[in-house]
Amino acid sequence: MRRILLLALLLWWFAPPLFASAAAASVSPPADLDRRVGFDQRLGAQLPMELPLREVDGQSTTLARIAHGKPMLLAMGYYRCPNLCDPMRQGIAQTATAMPLVVGEDYQIVFLGIDPAETADDVTHSRQMLARSSPAAHVERWHRLRGDTATVLAIAKAIGYRYFFDPALGQFAHPAGLVIVSPESKTT
């Protein structure tokens, strides 16, 4: 329970920078943007923990295998994101550094990519940049995952994460945020 409370503190501490870092786009947003992009709180939702995913090295895994009965911080986005994702990962790194819990031992950090076109090199580059800027965050213990579109959409739906690819911008329109997953595989 202590771990879950500390992870909840992480969310509280981390949320304000997310909203301050959003950049305004020069292209008008779609009229239905609020319907297509958002993060709907789904407390107590059961995550599909057995769906097939890939680690950065291509090794197959699942959320269940990663969590292994521990709490998990789960964030979604994409590795080449020009807006929200890098500040979000930086915020997670800063908060993880300040917490008394040890990532990989007391809890897991998972970043799930939403762009099926991204490669292992994109993921590795993102990890290397974060490791240089936040060495105390132990980003080598984080899990950077990719999956097929159906798998990623199923996980996104379970946590209430809505996004889409905007061809006018040439990028994904998506929210920023994270969920804490309990050892029972439910959002808290």
Side-chain angles (χ1 to χ4, degrees), residues 25-98:
S26 60
V27 177
S28 295
D32 61 348
L33 182 65
D34 61 336
R35 183 184 60 77
R36 297 173 70 190
V37 175
F39 214 149
D40 306 315
Q41 187 177 45
R42 296 210 172 131
L43 292 177
Q46 182 72 43
L47 262 71
M49 300 293 284
E50 296 297 336
L51 295 175
L53 297 163
R54 290 182 313 283
E55 293 272 7
V56 65
D57 63 3
Q59 189 171 17
S60 295
T61 192
T62 64
L63 292 176
R65 194 174 303 142
I66 290 167
H68 198 60
K70 293 181 170 59
M72 180 173 53
L73 185 151
L74 172 63
M76 296 183 72
Y78 66 115
Y79 301 99
R80 292 181 290 177
C81 177
N83 296 309
L84 299 173
C85 294
D86 187 52
M88 180 175 63
R89 288 187 297 264
Q90 291 288 338
I92 293 170
Q94 289 172 3
T95 304
T97 300

Side-chain angles (χ1 to χ4, degrees), residues 29 73 99 113 115 124 159:
L73 185 151
M99 287 181 31
D115 183 352
T124 299
I159 66 170

Side-chain angles (χ1 to χ4, degrees), residues 113-173:
I114 61 174
D115 183 352
E118 287 183 313
T119 66
D121 288 341
D122 295 323
V123 180
T124 299
H125 177 71
S126 168
R127 179 185 56 83
Q128 289 170 340
M129 288 180 55
L130 191 56
R132 279 194 299 274
S133 65
S134 301
H138 296 289
V139 298
E140 72 279 0
R141 297 178 188 165
W142 296 21
H143 297 272
R144 285 162 194 78
L145 305 177
R146 295 177 296 142
D148 64 42
T149 301
T151 295
V152 173
L153 285 171
I155 294 169
K157 182 177 181 181
I159 66 170
Y161 186 90
R162 294 179 283 118
Y163 68 95
F164 71 98
F165 183 77
D166 186 341
L169 293 174
Q171 60 187 348
F172 283 85

